[in-house]
Amino acid sequence: MDLDLRKIRYFMAVARELNFGRAARDLHIAQPVLSRQIRALEAELGVQLFMRDRRRTELTAAGEALYTEAAPLLAGAEALRRRVGRAGRGADSFTVAFMPGLTVTGAVRALTAAHPRMTVDVLRTSWADQVEVLRDGRADVSCVRLPIDQRGLKVRALFDEPRVAVLPTAHRLACKSELHLSDLAGETLLQPYDAVPEWQAMTGDTAPSGLSGPSGPPAALAVEEKLEHVAAERGVVVLPQSTAGFYHRPDVTAIAIIDIGPSRVALAWDATRRTRLISEFADLAATHLRAP
Amino acid sequence: MDLDLRKIRYFMAVARELNFGRAARDLHIAQPVLSRQIRALEAELGVQLFMRDRRRTELTAAGEALYTEAAPLLAGAEALRRRVGRAGRGADSFTVAFMPGLTVTGAVRALTAAHPRMTVDVLRTSWADQVEVLRDGRADVSCVRLPIDQRGLKVRALFDEPRVAVLPTAHRLACKSELHLSDLAGETLLQPYDAVPEWQAMTGDTAPSGLSGPSGPPAALAVEEKLEHVAAERGVVVLPQSTAGFYHRPDVTAIAIIDIGPSRVALAWDATRRTRLISEFADLAATHLRAP
DNA sequence: CCGCTGTGATACCTTCAAGGCATCACAGGT
DNA sequence: ACCTGTGATGCCTTGAAGGTATCACAGCGG
């Protein structure tokens, strides 16, 4: 009758690993159990999900469909449990997530003033988190930097801000008041190429999403770590102005790049949620959040 | 670990009925089973969902939260199963839903031409269905008449069209070429007031959503039924021009109302879905679907 | 006051699905 | 020929979900 979220979660593990044994270990169950559960799921859906070939396991078309569509369902279930738990703890609360460098205080203050009996929480996110917190219910709205995967979300643009290059203070360019992107030719970019599309156009570099430099550190670094690498003269990073301005250390310098697309900051929320408080906060954010 | 959709469905039944016995009968299970399942759900969520009072059953705040948030989750599960089933049947297909009176042929033709190997289905909806089909996966896009509940959906406006009054052909106004809303003062409106907001402003009538007239027939009539009532001179209805034009019968006449807000037609789709085909169809719809 | 009715909860049993362990069947490599 | 890694089968145990019978209690009518 109802489909079983446990089985769906099992399926997701197998689809990720494409290997029943490893997936079973990840799930902390025995492999035969997993085999049977997947067969049961296939029977229940009336559809074959995997092509098992004694030697390798592959997704069928139906399996692909399930793999892409099931993630939001599981996230939705998690979000539901979080929100109900919060409602049960009696707290009429509202959580605003934000990326480091963005300041949501003004809008949060205004919301608190409008609803004195409500608890307004804030939650710091990272690049990886900024949308996730909406899908799993940890936050009601999230102040994000575009681009994001907008599926399942409503997004409202707040403001644009210039992007800056962060250089070692000792760098030959560090004394300039502004830069063109071409000034950076030959520098090593310490971040995934797709974070700065113009870089790719300039250098022709198309490595998927690793860091440049042959032995570069792994991707998805925290901003603090990136700055550490810059200070060590291992390369440069390009950041939104407010992000770079948020961390100040004497050994690195941020300089505006004038011929590069701006970074856009937006407010995002779950498209299925109630609208009252969220749209109220969106209005407040639009008036209180501006480029620095 | 994972929450159990069966229990959620049981909860929804109890929350609807606010009575364990009746809910159990609706679910075709015994009442003690339902009591235990709800208690188990409460234990699992760590939250009380109902205030049981020997005499009546009421939702707690957490229960309210669950009641409003669980519906999209259950619909999403249903949609998932539908889509996977369809993918399993091998058909790479795309389903376009539409309200009666709207003609989607042009856009469907264009999509078929662009993807000759894909099956493009169409699905007729009603006012009650037009959004439901998206939430439960019966359609990929739906050509709707606004306003709709936009939660969980993306919406793109297509065109506006005038609204007409449908009168008995024998009516004193049936020979006019156009009407003002005030011409209809004193007529009986055979549809929910909120379908025509201006009517409410004109007459001061504020009955919630029943039909006017003391012994009016029940709400949510099909268009054909409304026309039948009009022909029987029991009152008038206000419809979008294309809806009225779609059904022609000699005993009723449609006349444009010139001082009333237009009816807006839009394309809507599930906000969580993949975007490729949908946005392609949205572009086709924007160019091919126009006011008649 | 007593008994009737409708409410949800409890007790006890049965069935079946989910879990574990041991083992099999088979494809590739050494 | 043997070993290794793969997923599938067989058999057992446990626990959850289902059922029936019954209880405890609030309200109502006589």
Side-chain angles (χ1 to χ4, degrees), chain B residues 1 13 16 38 43 54 69 72 84-85 120 130 135 167 206 249 254 257 263 267 269 285:
Chain B
M1 178 79 207
R16 246 192 314 274
I38 297 297
R54 231 12 126 191
E69 309 242 15
V84 171
V120 181
Q130 58 173 356
R135 301 221 159 93
L167 310 167
T206 56
R249 37 189 299 171
I257 309 178
S263 161
L267 192 72
W269 61 91

Side-chain angles (χ1 to χ4, degrees), chain B residues 16 89 100 107 120 180 214 217 260 282:
Chain B
R16 246 192 314 274
R89 265 152 209 79
V120 181
H180 290 263
I260 196 172

